[in-house]
Amino acid sequence: MVHGHHHHGNECCENSRHHEHHHEHNHEHEHHHEEEKGRGRLVKIIAASILLIAASIIEHKTAWQDWQYLLLFLVPYFIVGWETLKEAAEGLFEGEAMSEDFLMSIATIGALVIGFLPGAETQFAEAVFVMLFFQIGEMFEEVAEGRSRKSISHLMDIRPDTAHVERNGELLTVSPDTVKPGEIIMIRPGEKVPMDGTVIEGSSSLDTVALTGESVPRSISAGDEILSGCVNLSGVVRVRTTKAFAESTVSKILDLVENAAGSKSRSESFITRFARVYTPIVAGLAVLVAVIPGIVTGDWASWIYRGLLFLVVSCPCALVISVPLTFFGGLGGASRKGILIKGSNFIDKLAGVKTVVFDKTGTLTEGVFEVTAVHPQVIDDNELLHLAAHVERHSTHPIAMALRNAYPDEQDDCLIADVEETAGHGILATVNGKRVAVGNSILMERVGAEWRSCHHDGTIIHVAIDGVYAGHIVISDRIKEDSALGIAQLKDAGISKTVMLTGDQHTVAAAVAAKVGVDEYHAQLLPADKVSEVEKLLAGGTLAFVGDGINDAPVLTRADIGIAMGALGSDAAIEAADVVLMDDKPSKIATALKIARRTIRIAKENIWFAIGIKVLVLLLAIPGLATMWMAVFADVGVTVLAVLNAMRTQ
């Protein structure tokens, strides 16, 4: 039975490997197809350009009939325009007449035919040129899209293809989605970490640059958490997995990024709606420009020509293409720096942030408590720490852990009995027959000890022995090196107000607020109070809340924009936040704001630039001052420039 089971496992592994290979193959095939299409388009453009020049020379040097020239120019026209004509025809049959392909087809066919009207000049070369230039614009758009896709797909490289799992005493190489939580995997140097877990053997350093944008490696050893998407650099480690592949950090991040492109920003959804209404109106106007003055003056040829110009100019491709590309570029550029923005709509919001509210512990401070001063009264420093560490031995409170870390040597002959813990006040215990109280001033008063206050910032832990005051220990939380800089950068970026919220004592909060430079702080808040503080502040303009996630989920959801910091590993934060900073640096917030503002600025530049040039050429077209060449520039030239501008966001 066992044997059969094992065989089955192996077969499963083969299957999944086959499946994976197939998936990879598909992806490559798609990529290859795109490249071929691009190459084909380039060849067509070059061939058509050469033929167009040749045809123009022949037209100048010979005296043929118009229809003979038409045949000559149709060759480059079909080479470069066949796809466009086909798309336009398909669009008509599907009831989507108003596409850019349709507008281009009508304009160019019109230009080809117009020369046959009495008293009209032939426009063969112009017709081919419009088509040619339209294709060049499409090519640019593809290149830009490919680049934006690359800037996001650099994240795809962090998804590993295989995992080495230990089953029945053998090491099997399987697809990561077949590994269950609790199984043991082995990660060799140079391999990607396939799923989240805990290191049970070995030590190494990890390259987290793909997740955090930070180049400094992190060192890990037995007992540490390890996250998928990092690259193992130096040692072999054995890891007990804690999450399935689909639930692991790397899969969550990829889902976020893939969905980000789907949620449209205000500018994008405006542009899409705009194009839907705008194109039919323009087509209608073009017909009016051609028909009414034509009837009045009888000069059909020149008015139809102006109507055609009107069609070419008014094509909205520059907007429809460049605005989404701009946002796509912004999302990709941010993800490269370890900032995940969950959608283009949040770029809009980020750019308008006026108030930034921080949670203190774990966001501005490291959330790591340590003993910073010891002030004994009747016994020496060591004895004081020794007693406090003993009494706090079994407490899980961060402060108790700080005391134990300060006095790690517990191997001695002290007897500890009758431990009673009073939440929020401290602990009483009998050590070697003496009743020792460790806690705050309220506990000291309860046991009748005359406590003394301390001028140090931090949490003060008093110690009394049999009701006699023995001294106190100061414990404080380290402020992150980057916090003051991060807040200074936000002020430079024009943020009008920075606020810190904390559940800590006023004295501690005041000290941290002064050091990091926030404008105001609110202390001794319960999680529910944080939500109501944020609600009060919401009146002052767009508000971003920055938290480290564990207990900040309600506030992150309540703010206009929730930013989760150091989200490597905190699922609650990744779910609740709109922007996820993969590492612990407060200065990343200013970077995120800058990227968002730049993206919005570029999108606006594109909108105004495109509309401006189009209106100008349309105004010139009506009195007949514009030529087909100008019309082409106003459409395709503007698109190319707008796309190039959009590429700056990366």
Side-chain angles (χ1 to χ4, degrees):
M1 180 62 216
V2 172
H3 176 75
H5 177 76
H6 180 68
H7 173 73
H8 176 72
N10 230 355
E11 185 180 276
C12 158
C13 135
E14 280 303 309
N15 251 345
S16 65
R17 202 174 314 158
H18 173 74
H19 163 76
E20 195 163 282
H21 181 71
H22 177 71
H23 173 75
E24 235 166 62
H25 184 71
N26 250 359
H27 187 70
E28 265 172 34
H29 179 74
E30 231 169 76
H31 184 66
H32 192 64
H33 180 68
E34 293 267 306
E35 271 186 5
E36 262 180 18
K37 208 168 109 184
R39 234 178 267 129
R41 177 169 273 158
L42 189 62
V43 169
K44 282 181 196 162
I45 288 173
I46 293 169
S49 308
I50 295 168
L51 289 170
L52 174 62
I53 294 166
S56 307
I57 293 170
I58 294 172
E59 189 183 28
H60 275 286
K61 299 267 193 250
T62 55
W64 294 357
Q65 296 288 317
D66 279 352
W67 65 267
Q68 290 168 305
Y69 288 126
L70 173 64
L71 292 177
L72 190 62
F73 279 101
L74 278 178
V75 178
Y77 176 77
F78 279 128
I79 287 178
V80 82
W82 182 250
E83 288 283 314
T84 309
L85 293 167
K86 202 172 84 190
E87 298 268 320
E90 279 170 12
L92 267 184
F93 287 120
E94 285 160 20
E96 286 177 17
M98 293 304 166
S99 66
E100 50 193 32
D101 294 309
F102 177 73
L103 292 182
M104 280 296 157
S105 304
I106 292 295
T108 50
I109 291 168
L112 288 171
V113 174
I114 203 168
F116 295 99
L117 288 174
E121 299 258 318
T122 56
Q123 302 282 346
F124 301 145
E126 280 90 333
V128 179
F129 184 72
V130 170
M131 237 356 152
L132 187 64
F133 218 67
F134 180 60
Q135 287 299 326
I136 292 173
E138 294 269 296
M139 188 173 73
F140 263 95
E141 176 200 336
E142 260 172 31
V143 169
E145 260 189 11
R147 269 196 50 179
S148 326
R149 211 168 282 129
K150 252 199 209 87
S151 82
I152 281 187
S153 70
H154 79 276
L155 273 171
M156 299 307 168
D157 298 343
I158 63 183
R159 176 177 277 171
D161 303 322
T162 56
H164 310 302
V165 65
E166 296 177 10
R167 288 183 186 154
N168 307 336
E170 278 189 61
L171 195 64
L172 304 175
T173 302
V174 299
S175 163
D177 43 25
T178 63
V179 179
K180 297 183 185 63
E183 288 198 273
I184 309 265
I185 55 172
M186 193 170 107
I187 305 157
R188 302 186 181 110
E191 292 183 335
K192 293 173 197 145
V193 178
M195 48 237 301
D196 300 1
T198 314
V199 179
I200 52 173
E201 191 189 320
S203 59
S204 177
S205 51
L206 293 181
D207 171 2
T208 63
V209 70
L211 296 180
T212 61
E214 282 306 307
S215 49
V216 185
R218 288 185 184 191
S219 53
I220 50 150
S221 54
D224 290 340
E225 206 183 337
I226 187 168
L227 295 167
S228 51
C230 303
V231 177
N232 182 17
L233 295 176
S234 49
V236 176
V237 287
R238 287 176 71 223
V239 174
R240 176 172 281 110
T241 56
T242 49
K243 289 184 190 152
F245 183 59
E247 286 302 304
S248 283
T249 309
V250 66
S251 305
K252 284 228 165 98
I253 290 169
L254 294 177
D255 285 347
L256 278 188
V257 176
E258 282 165 3
N259 296 332
S263 51
K264 284 204 158 105
S265 71
R266 280 204 307 267
S267 332
E268 282 180 279
S269 34
F270 160 72
I271 294 293
T272 323
R273 287 202 306 273
F274 170 81
R276 240 181 254 141
V277 177
Y278 166 91
T279 316
I281 291 176
V282 162
L285 283 175
V287 171
L288 293 179
V289 166
V291 173
I292 294 173
I295 292 172
V296 176
T297 60
D299 181 5
W300 282 101
S302 60
W303 283 106
I304 289 178
Y305 182 60
R306 287 172 207 181
L308 292 175
L309 288 186
F310 206 90
L311 267 188
V312 174
V313 174
S314 54
C315 190
C317 14
L319 298 175
V320 175
I321 294 163
S322 70
V323 173
L325 259 183
T326 309
F327 281 98
F328 215 62
L331 291 169
S335 73
R336 263 215 194 88
K337 292 204 161 77
I339 301 164
L340 299 180
I341 301 172
K342 283 194 183 175
S344 342
N345 45 343
F346 298 119
I347 292 187
D348 271 339
K349 277 190 185 163
L350 255 181
V353 167
K354 291 278 176 284
T355 313
V356 180
V357 181
F358 293 90
D359 178 52
K360 179 183 82 74
T361 311
T363 305
L364 292 173
T365 65
E366 292 184 0
V368 177
F369 291 93
E370 54 187 13
V371 171
T372 48
V374 181
H375 297 155
Q377 290 284 99
V378 293
I379 49 180
D380 66 7
D381 292 18
N382 206 20
E383 190 66 18
L384 191 64
L385 275 174
H386 174 184
L387 279 174
H390 269 324
V391 172
E392 297 274 3
R393 180 186 280 169
H394 299 293
S395 171
T396 52
H397 196 279
I399 286 179
M401 288 165 72
L403 285 168
R404 292 204 300 278
N405 291 340
Y407 192 85
D409 184 22
E410 285 192 25
Q411 268 46 48
D412 53 26
D413 50 5
C414 292
L415 295 167
I416 298 146
D418 311 329
V419 181
E420 57 171 289
E421 185 165 354
T422 319
H425 294 169
I427 300 183
L428 284 161
T430 307
V431 180
N432 289 351
K434 293 178 181 165
R435 195 70 174 148
V436 181
V438 179
N440 60 12
S441 49
I442 301 172
L443 185 69
M444 291 300 106
E445 281 165 10
R446 207 176 93 198
V447 300
E450 290 180 25
W451 59 277
R452 290 182 30 204
S453 61
C454 181
H455 57 278
H456 279 261
D457 295 318
T459 308
I460 314 293
I461 304 295
H462 299 282
V463 180
I465 303 168
D466 286 338
V468 179
Y469 190 58
H472 53 251
I473 299 164
V474 184
I475 289 178
S476 43
D477 185 2
R478 280 204 299 264
I479 293 175
K480 286 184 189 166
E481 289 168 23
D482 197 48
S483 292
L485 170 74
I487 285 172
Q489 285 178 344
L490 285 175
K491 290 186 176 160
D492 292 345
I495 292 295
S496 52
K497 195 183 210 178
T498 51
V499 185
M500 180 182 86
L501 306 180
T502 177
D504 251 348
Q505 305 296 328
H506 282 282
T507 49
V508 177
V512 174
K515 278 190 189 137
V516 298
V518 287
D519 298 328
E520 60 178 77
Y521 68 91
H522 301 278
Q524 290 182 319
L525 302 172
L526 297 168
D529 304 333
K530 288 185 186 174
V531 176
S532 52
E533 280 299 332
V534 163
E535 281 176 348
K536 279 182 220 155
L537 290 162
L538 279 170
T542 309
L543 177 142
F545 176 81
V546 189
D548 67 337
I550 318 298
N551 48 9
D552 297 326
V555 208
L556 285 169
T557 17
R558 187 64 198 86
D560 292 313
I561 190 152
I563 303 177
M565 177 176 279
L568 267 184
S570 159
D571 293 348
I574 293 186
E575 301 293 326
D578 309 313
V579 177
V580 179
L581 306 180
M582 295 311 291
D583 63 8
D584 288 335
K585 294 196 167 168
S587 57
K588 280 276 168 85
I589 300 161
T591 313
L593 288 182
K594 282 191 196 110
I595 291 175
R597 286 179 181 171
R598 189 151 165 249
T599 304
I600 297 290
R601 194 182 68 241
I602 290 175
K604 283 189 175 150
E605 284 167 6
N606 280 344
I607 292 170
W608 287 115
F609 172 64
I611 291 175
I613 299 272
K614 284 175 188 296
V615 168
L616 188 72
V617 178
L618 288 177
L619 292 175
L620 291 173
I622 294 169
L625 296 172
T627 62
M628 192 56 100
W629 307 93
M630 281 162 79
V632 170
F633 173 74
D635 175 48
V636 183
V638 168
T639 304
V640 170
L641 290 172
V643 163
L644 290 174
N645 193 26
M647 283 163 88
R648 287 184 15 224
T649 52
Q650 302 164 40

